[in-house]
Amino acid sequence: MTIAVAGQNASEMESAPIPAHSGRPIALATVLPSLQRGGTEGAASRLTVRLRERGYEAVIIALSGGGWEGYLTQNSVPTVILGHDSRSNVSIVHAARIIWSLTRIFRRLRPDIVSGFLYPISIWSSLAAWLAGVPVVIANRRDCGFQRTEAPLPRWLEVLSYRATTRFVVNSRAVAKSLREQERIASSQIEVIHNGIDVSESDTVQSQSYRRTLGIDATSPVVGMMANFWRHKNHLMLVAAARQVVTEEPGVVFVLAGAESEYCEAVRVAIAR
């Protein structure tokens, strides 16, 4: 297990846990599958930085590292990398090891809130938070059940984690609907918080530079999709929609950007048709 805690090493972390008294700032531990370049990882990383700016004791725990590590280090965010396999289709034995690792960390950090992202990480983090006696446990879901369909956990383990979860936070009404229908989560347990974009980070000069690099006219309407090229992101649906749009509005340009994978070839073929 690799630990990088804002300049502290593992032994310092062991001997100086966050004090549990009413006068201290609220402590939040966010749990992610990895820190690779992705939308969920980026949103959680930026949110953690903002929370720390507002006085929260916010930390990030991830099963594996990735491209967001540099950003977190630059912003002095305490980060714990467990060094576990971040794939969702792991054995129940490996899942038990992850739950126990998280439980030990929560007992040391003593957070007021644990917030786990995605399936099955949110299942594991909820169970670990319950074992560690964390008061508030949040499970964040951002898909309509595909991760659960691809690598389902035993139903009894899911149900046990649901009992340990204070609230489910989702980023759309569609995800909320899938939780109700597929996992039978009560509506009273679900909160919808839509994705947002900080427009203060927009750079019009850089935008024009990108247009020139891609050979796009300065006045052409551009529709962009920023998403890693994974099949469940369904770039093919946007390609089909784009074909209909440009038939009516030939000046519109569609740009797809994200990490490459084998799925890219299927997208290229669909665009070339």
Side-chain angles (χ1 to χ4, degrees):
M1 180 172 69
T2 301
I3 301 178
V5 187
Q8 296 179 334
N9 60 35
S11 61
E12 291 171 333
M13 182 176 167
E14 291 276 6
S15 61
I18 298 172
H21 58 76
S22 58
R24 67 169 172 81
I26 294 174
L28 166 69
T30 294
V31 186
L32 295 165
S34 76
L35 292 177
Q36 67 178 343
R37 290 289 183 183
T40 295
E41 295 79 5
S45 296
R46 290 191 176 98
L47 176 60
T48 301
V49 170
R50 296 295 178 85
L51 287 172
R52 290 183 64 81
E53 290 172 351
R54 297 187 180 192
Y56 290 81
E57 292 288 348
V59 304
I60 281 188
I61 302 165
L63 299 194
S64 62
W68 283 103
E69 287 184 75
Y71 171 81
L72 295 170
T73 299
Q74 181 182 353
N75 287 278
S76 301
V77 175
T79 305
V80 180
I81 309 298
L82 296 181
H84 284 285
D85 190 338
S86 62
R87 293 176 301 174
S88 59
N89 57 337
V90 299
S91 69
I92 193 67
V93 173
H94 188 62
R97 293 194 187 110
I98 294 171
I99 293 169
W100 179 238
S101 295
L102 290 172
T103 302
R104 292 174 58 204
I105 292 170
F106 295 156
R107 286 174 176 170
R108 291 202 303 266
L109 294 177
R110 298 164 71 182
D112 301 295
I113 305 167
V114 162
S115 180
F117 277 81
L118 308 180
Y119 185 100
I121 303 301
S122 60
I123 302 290
W124 300 336
S125 62
S126 289
L127 290 170
W130 172 66
L131 290 171
V134 177
V136 178
V137 182
I138 299 172
N140 293 271
R141 298 293 188 84
R142 304 170 74 86
D143 72 273
C144 290
F146 80 90
Q147 290 173 318
R148 182 171 180 264
T149 301
E150 289 184 348
L153 293 171
R155 182 61 184 168
W156 65 266
L157 195 62
E158 291 181 334
V159 171
L160 189 59
S161 78
Y162 300 158
R163 293 175 181 172
T165 303
T166 310
R167 283 288 187 276
F168 289 82
V169 175
V170 301
N171 61 345
S172 71
R173 289 190 295 272
V175 176
K177 183 172 183 279
S178 75
L179 276 180
R180 291 192 301 270
E181 295 180 353
Q182 297 178 30
E183 300 183 56
R184 299 190 289 280
I185 305 299
S187 297
S188 59
Q189 264 195 291
I190 303 172
E191 299 287 345
V192 179
I193 301 177
H194 296 285
N195 290 337
I197 297 174
D198 185 353
V199 294
S200 68
E201 296 181 358
S202 299
D203 187 335
T204 55
V205 174
Q206 191 175 47
S207 174
Q208 292 302 320
S209 174
Y210 283 143
R211 282 175 176 264
R212 288 192 296 271
T213 300
L214 297 173
I216 301 172
D217 186 84
T219 60
S220 295
V222 175
V223 177
M225 179 175 180
M226 294 289 294
N228 290 327
F229 283 89
W230 298 330
R231 191 169 299 278
H232 63 262
K233 298 294 185 179
N234 205 357
H235 296 73
L236 296 177
M237 181 175 68
L238 181 61
V239 172
R243 186 169 288 110
Q244 297 179 41
V245 171
V246 297
T247 299
E248 300 292 331
E249 298 289 342
V252 178
V253 177
F254 286 78
V255 178
L256 310 183
E260 193 165 0
S261 72
E262 294 179 359
Y263 175 60
C264 284
E265 186 56 31
V267 177
R268 292 191 182 102
V269 169
I271 292 172
R273 286 176 183 162

